[in-house]
Amino acid sequence: MQEKLFGKTLEELKALSLNLGLPSFTGRQLCEWLYKKEVSSFEQMTNLSKKARALLSENHELGLQLPVEEQVSVDGTKKYLFTAANGKFIETAYIPDGKRSTVCVSSQVGCKMGCLFCMTGKQGFQGNLTAGEILNQYRSLPERKELTNIVYMGMGEPLDNLSEVLLSLEVLTAEWGFSLSPRRITVSTIGITPAMLEFLNRSEAHLAISLHTPFDEERRKLMPIQQVYPLKEVLKEIRSWDFGRQRRVSFEYILFRDYNDSAAHVNELSRILHGIRCRINLIRFHPIPDTPLESPDESTLEAFRNKLNAKGITTTIRASRGQDIWAACGLLSTKRLQK
Amino acid sequence: MVTNDNHQVSPVTLTFTEELSAGIYMIGFKRTFFFRAGQVIGVALQQNGPRRLYSICSGEQDEEIRILYKLVDNGYLTPLLSGLETGDTLWITEPGGEFTGDREPAVWIAAGTGVAPFYSMLRSGLAEQKRVILGNRYLEQFHFFDEFDTLLGENYIRCCTAETDEGAYSGRVTQYLAEQAELDPKLKYYLCGSAEMVVETRDILISKGIPFDRIISEIYF
Ligand SMILES: Cc1cc2nc3c(=O)[nH]c(=O)nc-3n(C[C@H](O)[C@H](O)[C@H](O)COP(=O)(O)OP(=O)(O)OC[C@H]3O[C@@H](n4cnc5c(N)ncnc54)[C@H](O)[C@@H]3O)c2cc1C
Ligand code: SF4
């Protein structure tokens, strides 16, 4: 298979040009074509010499690919299926919401983290995505022109594929890349502490941490990572990190009926998050096949939000989007995998 | 998973290295700290080198700290570890993690090197009222057979996929569990191993009526 260019950094493209006997400025020209203009072949790169175009297409491929399947929800949310290099499938969700349109990208094929409530977790781990495969979900999204935000909340644990995720963030935000503001990008993690610190050091993007219960004993039953990197260690690091004025940390909290939805949970959340400038995104649990967990009713969800807000923690309910197509939960790709 | 956090590392000198069975190694160094059975340490070859996590595979009172690892051919650290000899230096973090055992009745389920935390618990005096179900491809991979067998007898179950032996179940751990008529929903179930093994085993336990909050998992990611 030929090496793909899409997803490479300016430095990598310069080095690769030199390797082919082309001037190093070809690297910058390639960045222009790959990340600023809409081309789908080397032939369209008209400011490159004929020789350069021929050499590039002999030795490389662009690495762009369109989704192979699409599902549309009644509320406008769409779910796309892309093929990863290993022949497996990944999901990407497009979520329009008034003036805001978000793409939710996957970072791995499957996942190793085994969270009890997650369809991707049930699928097991099939491989890491390259930076190019992560970025292709943004670049080849039919609605790309509408996009205002990117969230790394699809399949996989982004910080378990840290190097490729960091490369993809570099391409998204660099002046020679897509030139996006890091404030439009959120990377979500279940709290792999060492990788989280490296991410905070090496990127400016927002951070979202999956919390799901403030009690250690409960969290370890939902998320095996709690055994290795307990929440209190994660919060200790977050508390001592200077997020500045622009950068945001938020916590994701999936509400499960009669498990993590009591007044005691509100109180404990307020206690452990004390002193951290943050917000909580409440998410209603959508049951996956054979799960022992249940979805809360609307009134519990709202009451939980109101109690947290009353405690001074800005809390919003993430609107249930694309429920009818199970947006970004791994089900579509799991079904495809089983075909 | 590469770990390069701010945790302090300190050098230790290897006092034990052995290939226990094809591709499964054990290395050890003198114990200079306390830990709780089931905890892990970060291991690196240089002070600032990439780290990996390993379950401590010795008892809380043992003089040596040992780890049991599988050589991952295309991996970074394990091929380097397998070339080490006694007297060589390793950099380790303090012990951490909360996959620790207690005296309550429980079932310990593991595959491959996932046996390490349970062996540590056994050597730390926590084997009473425990049932251990282990999975491996080959019989020779059931390390610490004598100790498990002596202390647990019938409650030590070996599930072997590629070889047969009197006293060993032929098949995977998940198959063994699926075939059990009844599993006690009041017990705690500790699972340790790869993501695939843990997730599959957890699903089977839940489908057999074990409440999910009785299941505690450690994934070697
Ligand atoms: C909490 C925790 C405890 C752990 N305890 C142990 C332990 O006691 N003993 C032990 O052997 N390992 C243990 N591991 C795994 C260990 O940390 C390393 O991932 C493993 O030794 C491979 O390291 P490597 O650098 O050689 O390979 P890497 O370069 O990290 O990995 C190369 C590839 O091999 C895969 N891989 C990792 N482990 C295995 C495996 N066992 N079989 C096949 N493929 C694998 C990785 O997912 C990766 O894709 C533990 C992991 C965690 C998170
Ligand atoms: S919730 Fe995220 S980290 Fe957990 S299993 Fe699913 S994809 Fe992996």
Side-chain angles (χ1 to χ4, degrees):
Chain A
M1 207 193 333
Q2 287 180 320
E3 196 184 8
K4 297 181 167 112
L5 295 193
F6 186 73
K8 294 209 177 291
T9 62
L10 174 60
E11 282 314 307
E12 289 172 320
L13 291 169
K14 277 185 185 170
L16 180 147
S17 304
L18 286 173
N19 255 343
L20 290 176
L22 298 168
S24 102
F25 63 72
T26 309
R28 193 167 270 280
Q29 290 174 311
L30 280 169
C31 280
E32 285 277 321
W33 289 113
L34 289 170
Y35 308 131
K36 310 253 186 238
K37 297 180 181 155
E38 304 283 321
V39 291
S40 51
S41 73
F42 289 112
E43 270 319 296
Q44 292 168 288
M45 301 182 174
T46 46
N47 65 352
L48 299 188
S49 66
K50 248 190 152 156
K51 178 187 151 207
R53 278 181 269 164
L55 269 173
L56 283 164
S57 55
E58 263 167 41
N59 293 283
H60 297 282
E61 53 182 296
L62 274 188
L64 290 170
Q65 52 144 325
L66 295 168
V68 291
E69 200 171 314
E70 172 187 344
Q71 285 187 358
V72 186
S73 161
V74 286
D75 65 13
T77 302
K78 291 185 183 173
K79 186 149 81 169
Y80 292 102
L81 207 61
F82 287 95
T83 318
N86 56 6
K88 303 283 167 47
F89 299 96
I90 48 162
E91 291 175 18
T92 307
Y94 166 68
I95 310 155
D97 185 14
K99 285 192 182 143
R100 204 183 146 101
S101 289
T102 306
V103 62
C104 174
V105 298
S106 294
S107 54
Q108 297 183 310
V109 192
C111 184
K112 293 182 216 150
M113 300 302 142
C115 301
L116 180 66
F117 46 83
C118 173
M119 198 62 206
T120 306
K122 271 180 182 266
Q123 195 183 100
F125 178 71
Q126 279 100 37
N128 281 324
L129 294 185
T130 62
E133 288 169 329
I134 297 171
L135 290 164
N136 180 64
Q137 301 168 65
Y138 163 73
R139 166 66 173 74
S140 298
L141 195 83
E143 295 79 7
R144 179 162 87 82
K145 296 256 162 56
E146 327 290 323
L147 290 176
T148 57
N149 295 74
I150 303 177
V151 296
Y152 286 63
M153 291 185 185
M155 296 168 71
E157 161 57 41
L159 301 190
D160 187 40
N161 184 16
L162 184 63
S163 52
E164 295 301 311
V165 164
L166 285 174
L167 279 174
S168 69
L169 290 169
E170 188 182 344
V171 176
L172 284 174
T173 55
E175 145 280 316
W176 47 260
F178 287 103
S179 300
L180 294 179
S181 161
R183 308 302 175 212
R184 296 189 172 278
I185 307 169
T186 303
V187 174
S188 169
T189 179
I190 55 169
I192 301 178
T193 322
M196 183 181 82
L197 289 173
E198 203 171 330
F199 161 78
L200 287 172
N201 256 316
R202 294 179 49 191
S203 154
E204 289 290 310
H206 297 309
L207 177 69
I209 297 170
S210 303
L211 202 154
H212 306 328
T213 169
F215 295 111
D216 289 356
E217 263 310 300
E218 283 176 4
R219 198 167 184 266
R220 65 201 296 237
K221 317 282 170 56
L222 292 178
M223 306 165 75
I225 195 69
Q226 171 73 18
Q227 259 71 254
V228 189
Y229 298 115
L231 183 64
K232 56 176 177 292
E233 280 180 24
V234 176
L235 294 181
K236 196 172 132 216
E237 299 295 352
I238 292 297
R239 195 166 265 117
S240 61
W241 190 266
D242 179 8
F243 280 85
R245 286 162 50 140
Q246 302 277 314
R247 199 173 192 186
R248 212 172 45 219
V249 61
S250 56
F251 294 94
E252 308 286 305
Y253 196 101
I254 304 180
L255 210 66
F256 305 103
R257 181 199 294 263
D258 297 335
Y259 191 68
N260 62 352
D261 56 359
S262 73
H265 289 89
V266 173
N267 292 338
E268 186 63 5
L269 275 172
S270 149
R271 192 185 71 75
I272 63 169
L273 297 182
H274 184 74
I276 300 177
R277 194 168 52 87
C278 64
R279 58 188 300 147
I280 293 183
N281 290 316
L282 270 188
I283 305 154
R284 175 210 293 273
F285 175 59
H286 297 306
I288 56 172
D290 303 324
T291 179
L293 297 157
E294 290 176 48
S295 192
D297 53 41
E298 196 60 33
S299 59
T300 312
L301 196 66
E302 284 172 13
F304 201 82
R305 175 200 57 197
N306 296 345
K307 283 182 203 155
L308 282 169
N309 277 323
K311 293 255 179 206
I313 306 176
T314 309
T315 306
T316 46
I317 295 174
R318 166 116 27 94
S320 289
R321 302 299 305 271
Q323 196 174 346
D324 50 337
I325 56 164
W326 306 74
C329 74
L331 195 73
L332 186 60
S333 60
T334 305
K335 280 188 179 155
R336 188 69 184 245
L337 203 67
Q338 287 162 350
K339 271 185 192 169
Chain B
M1 157 82 220
V2 183
T3 64
N4 270 323
D5 56 338
N6 295 333
H7 283 212
Q8 293 288 315
V9 282
S10 29
V12 291
T13 304
L14 288 184
T15 46
F16 181 85
T17 63
E18 196 175 314
E19 185 171 4
L20 299 188
S21 60
I24 309 287
Y25 294 75
M26 196 169 207
I27 53 177
F29 50 87
K30 198 166 171 298
R31 181 168 69 83
T32 53
F33 52 81
F34 292 103
F35 70 96
R36 283 180 294 148
Q39 284 192 306
V40 296
I41 49 170
V43 172
L45 275 187
Q46 298 91 24
Q47 187 165 11
N48 296 313
R51 282 181 221 155
R52 300 289 187 265
L53 293 173
Y54 294 93
S55 303
I56 295 175
C57 190
S58 40
E60 290 171 359
Q61 305 301 328
D62 286 346
E63 285 183 4
E64 265 185 349
I65 297 282
R66 291 187 174 182
I67 61 170
L68 179 77
Y69 68 89
K70 176 182 159 185
L71 173 65
V72 177
D73 286 333
N74 60 347
Y76 163 75
L77 191 69
T78 51
L80 298 171
L81 287 181
S82 66
L84 294 180
E85 291 170 6
T86 53
D88 286 343
T89 301
L90 211 58
W91 291 82
I92 59 151
T93 64
E94 288 171 4
E98 299 190 346
F99 187 71
T100 48
D102 57 28
R103 295 194 183 277
E104 271 186 58
V107 184
W108 295 339
I109 305 172
T113 51
V115 65
F118 301 131
Y119 181 64
S120 174
M121 292 175 198
L122 172 122
R123 283 195 68 86
S124 305
L126 299 176
E128 244 173 69
Q129 305 192 77
K130 299 295 187 308
R131 196 151 186 247
V132 184
I133 305 169
L134 302 179
N136 277 308
R137 254 179 96 66
Y138 303 108
L139 291 166
E140 63 162 19
Q141 293 170 329
F142 290 92
H143 305 297
F144 326 119
F145 174 89
D146 290 343
E147 281 161 282
F148 275 115
D149 195 46
T150 309
L151 281 169
L152 292 154
E154 278 187 352
N155 283 323
Y156 170 45
I157 294 128
R158 291 174 296 150
C159 302
C160 191
T161 51
E163 288 177 322
T164 51
D165 183 36
E166 206 182 316
Y169 172 83
S170 291
R172 301 174 62 202
V173 165
T174 41
Q175 231 171 307
Y176 172 83
L177 288 168
E179 282 172 15
Q180 299 308 298
E182 235 176 71
L183 294 172
D184 187 345
K186 291 189 294 298
L187 296 177
K188 270 195 190 167
Y189 292 78
Y190 288 81
L191 321 181
C192 184
S194 68
E196 195 187 11
M197 174 266 171
V198 164
V199 168
E200 265 183 51
T201 306
R202 191 176 60 193
D203 277 354
I204 287 176
L205 291 177
I206 291 170
S207 75
K208 297 196 78 89
I210 308 301
F212 75 89
D213 62 359
R214 306 298 294 166
I215 306 171
I216 300 147
S217 320
E218 174 105 306
I219 292 181
Y220 284 180
F221 58 84

